[in-house]
Amino acid sequence: MTPTTLNPAERVGPAFSVEGMLQARGKTRQAIRDIAASVRPGMVEEDAVTMARNILIDSGLQLSWHPTRVRFGSNTIKPMKQASLPGVVLQKDDIFFIDIAPRFESWEGDGGASFVVGSNEEYLRCAADAEALFHAVRQVWLNEKISGQRLYQYAEQQAKSMGWELNFDLPGHRVSDFPHAAIHTGSLADFETSPASMRWILEIHLLDPQKRFGAFFEDMLLDDASYKRL
């Protein structure tokens, strides 16, 4: 893959590096695991966010272009741009997700995942389905080379078939050497051609139809081999 592409929306900056982007992604995914391992029932959401920021900084990552988010329980249904209800405490049977966008040196990381404490079957299914749907959409992208618009149409159809609603307030976005916003700010769900590898973040936010809880998963669009390395 070369650092340029024919589509202006997929240009990259002067510091773009395949290896750098993969390092940023690897460190982001590891930070998600480290944060999740430190979350405990009884924590207040705001304290978990502070803890997450400290883990990122201790990992050598810089807090970057959107807020560090850890969302508990009922806050998991909220759009990312909407503030959490304050003071929410993680219960013994509960769901939470992590959404981080750190920077490693010149390169952007961005990732999210959902986790369950306890054994609530609906929470477990929602968290698993968010990740499974991410990979189902990614496989369609790999195999059929369809547009970003059609990828999200497929995601919406599949979410409904799973018994969930897809939150279109999280429509995917560019990722690059920092800052990607200097190159392109449009969403993946509006992209009219097939997205290139290592240029886009695919976001899947599933909502319970009764709006009680949700689950989130996001990662970079990459081929299968990249996922096997983590």
Side-chain angles (χ1 to χ4, degrees):
M1 182 176 61
T2 62
T4 59
T5 180
L6 292 176
N7 193 306
E10 294 186 327
R11 291 177 298 116
V12 295
F16 185 85
S17 158
V18 169
E19 184 59 32
M21 292 296 293
L22 291 176
Q23 285 186 69
R25 175 178 175 261
K27 288 178 178 294
T28 298
R29 301 313 305 185
Q30 183 60 54
I32 290 170
R33 291 190 286 269
D34 292 343
I35 293 164
S38 300
V39 172
R40 297 285 186 274
M43 290 184 85
V44 178
E45 186 177 287
E46 289 86 346
D47 292 339
V49 171
T50 299
M51 176 268 294
R53 290 177 181 146
N54 290 337
I55 286 175
L56 291 173
I57 293 167
D58 291 345
S59 300
L61 296 166
Q62 294 175 279
L63 306 181
S64 190
W65 49 274
H66 79 55
T68 299
R69 301 183 180 100
V70 184
R71 293 201 161 175
F72 292 168
S74 59
N75 281 333
T76 60
I77 68 169
K78 291 183 176 295
M80 295 302 184
K81 293 181 180 180
Q82 184 175 337
S84 282
L85 181 71
V88 172
V89 175
L90 189 70
Q91 304 301 308
K92 291 181 180 180
D93 275 296
D94 216 339
I95 188 167
F96 70 95
F97 69 69
I98 295 162
D99 175 28
I100 58 175
R103 177 159 55 100
F104 172 64
E105 297 183 2
S106 297
W107 307 291
E108 293 177 341
D110 192 21
S114 297
F115 303 89
V116 175
V117 293
S119 57
N120 184 293
E121 292 185 1
E122 287 185 296
Y123 296 162
L124 289 165
R125 185 171 70 87
C126 194
D129 281 354
E131 185 169 357
L133 182 54
F134 170 91
H135 286 293
V137 175
R138 189 177 63 84
Q139 286 299 322
V140 170
W141 164 71
L142 281 172
N143 297 331
E144 300 183 23
K145 308 300 181 186
I146 61 177
S147 70
Q149 291 176 338
R150 290 182 61 198
L151 286 175
Y152 270 90
Q153 290 169 2
Y154 173 81
E156 182 180 31
Q157 293 167 356
Q158 292 302 304
K160 287 180 179 178
S161 73
M162 292 171 159
W164 311 111
E165 296 179 5
L166 183 69
N167 178 15
F168 271 94
D169 287 330
L170 290 166
H173 57 79
R174 269 299 313 271
V175 68
S176 182
D177 49 336
F178 183 80
H180 75 266
I183 300 167
H184 184 69
T185 58
S187 72
L188 178 58
D190 289 331
F191 195 55
E192 296 179 349
T193 59
S194 179
S197 178
M198 205 171 294
R199 298 295 197 279
W200 296 92
I201 296 293
L202 172 65
E203 298 177 298
I204 299 294
H205 187 199
L206 298 181
L207 302 176
D208 164 53
Q210 298 180 48
K211 302 298 189 296
R212 297 169 298 169
F213 60 87
F216 177 65
F217 191 90
E218 69 170 344
D219 201 349
M220 200 186 312
L221 278 175
L222 296 167
D223 60 21
D224 289 338
S226 299
Y227 286 87
K228 292 175 183 176
R229 285 198 291 265
L230 283 182

